[in-house]
Amino acid sequence: PGENETKVNLEELKTSVLYSGPVDPAEWVGLRKSYPLLVYLRNNLLMLAILAFEVTIYRHQEYYRCRNNLTAPVTRTIFHDITRAHLDDGLVNCVKYFINYFFYKFGLETCFLLSVNVIGQRMDFYAMIHAFWLIAVLYRRRRKAIAEIWPKYCCFLACIITFQYFLCIGIPPAPCKDYPWRSGNANFNSNIIKWLYFPDFIVRPNPVFLVYDFMLLLCASLQRQTFEDENKAAVRIMAGDNVEICMNLDAASFSQHNPVPDFIHCR
């Protein structure tokens, strides 16, 4: 670029995809020469093997139940004979119960922790948006109120991760056209571009951030399923309900509303 076309110094231009070397248009769509080919395809083959293994297990379970006239369990758990009534029977039953229903009981808190992890790992403009959403969800306080807004939160996570995916891809470098925020009239430096998570040929968006967003989206989707399961009587019989015991969590009145033995205030 000419002197008036950009404000980027020469050292930064040397790291740009447009000027560091020849551009292969095939790499923008994910194609590049690789040797040996097995190393290039091993992750794809591993994913196919895992999917085939999963389908085989589900098909075998369905065939076994049809052959022996068995019905599928209400909940997809490992220990089918463990219910909420077995939680206080001993340490072994407690561990089995939480292996079955840990996310059912503590999924919402796990989502909050993952949201804080996304904010702490990213520390950019989208982290601020995640913080606003976290405040908006926590402001509802009651679990039923959070369940009402949770589908919108899942939709937001799905849309924002898709939008960021396209930002990471960016425009093809083959036309040799730089972004407007790299022009001479734009008052953007590399730190601002990195914080705004803009696509750029010098400071590329970090795609690892999408892994944290994906883990949050995965847990939020599971929590949405949990909110739906809480309204099913069969699930509540097996796993227990998640209704708040009382509005006022005072220590003096808490024990009389608690349906399970109180090992703290009872001597």
Side-chain angles (χ1 to χ4, degrees), residues 17-18 23-25 27-28 169-179 201:
V17 178
L18 296 180
V23 176
D24 186 5
E27 291 189 3
W28 187 75
I169 295 176
I171 62 175
C176 294
K177 296 292 184 181
D178 215 336
Y179 291 97
F201 293 119

Side-chain angles (χ1 to χ4, degrees), residues 5-222:
E5 294 180 9
T6 181
K7 291 184 179 180
V8 184
N9 56 46
L10 185 60
E11 293 299 325
E12 284 186 316
L13 281 179
K14 289 181 180 179
T15 62
S16 176
V17 178
L18 296 180
Y19 311 112
S20 60
V23 176
D24 186 5
E27 291 189 3
W28 187 75
V29 295
L31 299 176
R32 71 171 185 267
K33 292 183 179 180
S34 178
Y35 181 81
L37 187 61
L38 184 61
V39 177
Y40 183 71
L41 296 177
R42 60 184 178 183
N43 292 332
N44 302 76
L45 296 176
L46 180 61
M47 290 177 61
L48 289 175
I50 293 174
L51 291 174
F53 183 69
E54 180 188 15
V55 171
T56 302
I57 291 177
Y58 282 124
R59 290 294 183 182
H60 180 268
Q61 289 178 342
E62 184 179 356
Y63 172 74
Y64 181 81
R65 294 191 182 105
C66 291
R67 186 178 181 181
N68 295 277
N69 295 324
L70 300 176
T71 58
V74 178
T75 58
R76 295 184 178 182
T77 55
I78 297 177
F79 305 104
H80 302 308
D81 56 339
I82 298 296
T83 63
R84 178 63 180 84
H86 300 88
L87 177 60
D88 301 307
D89 289 347
L91 186 60
V92 176
N93 288 337
C94 179
V95 172
K96 289 182 179 180
Y97 175 83
F98 281 114
I99 289 176
N100 286 344
Y101 304 109
F102 175 82
F103 203 88
Y104 179 83
K105 286 295 183 181
F106 299 105
L108 188 60
E109 290 78 6
T110 304
C111 292
F112 290 156
L113 291 176
L114 285 176
S115 180
V116 174
N117 177 66
V118 170
I119 296 170
Q121 293 291 341
R122 298 189 61 118
M123 297 296 290
D124 58 0
F125 174 74
Y126 291 94
M128 185 174 63
I129 298 178
H130 280 286
F132 287 149
W133 261 103
L134 180 60
I135 294 172
V137 172
L138 290 174
Y139 183 75
R140 306 297 290 253
R141 298 183 62 185
R142 306 295 296 177
R143 189 177 181 90
K144 285 295 184 182
I146 294 176
E148 293 176 359
I149 199 178
W150 201 258
K152 299 178 181 178
Y153 182 57
C154 293
C155 182
F156 155 75
L157 292 176
C159 293
I160 199 171
I161 195 174
T162 305
F163 179 70
Q164 291 177 92
Y165 176 78
F166 287 111
L167 290 181
C168 290
I169 295 176
I171 62 175
C176 294
K177 296 292 184 181
D178 215 336
Y179 291 97
W181 39 89
R182 285 300 185 183
S183 62
N185 299 325
N187 294 321
F188 286 87
N189 56 32
S190 297
N191 290 329
I192 296 178
I193 293 174
K194 182 179 180 181
W195 186 80
L196 291 173
Y197 207 69
F198 279 173
D200 189 62
F201 293 119
I202 298 177
V203 185
R204 305 179 192 177
N206 189 0
V208 180
F209 289 163
L210 298 184
V211 178
Y212 305 123
D213 287 12
F214 171 75
M215 295 304 298
L216 177 58
L217 174 60
L218 177 63
C219 288
S221 302
L222 292 175

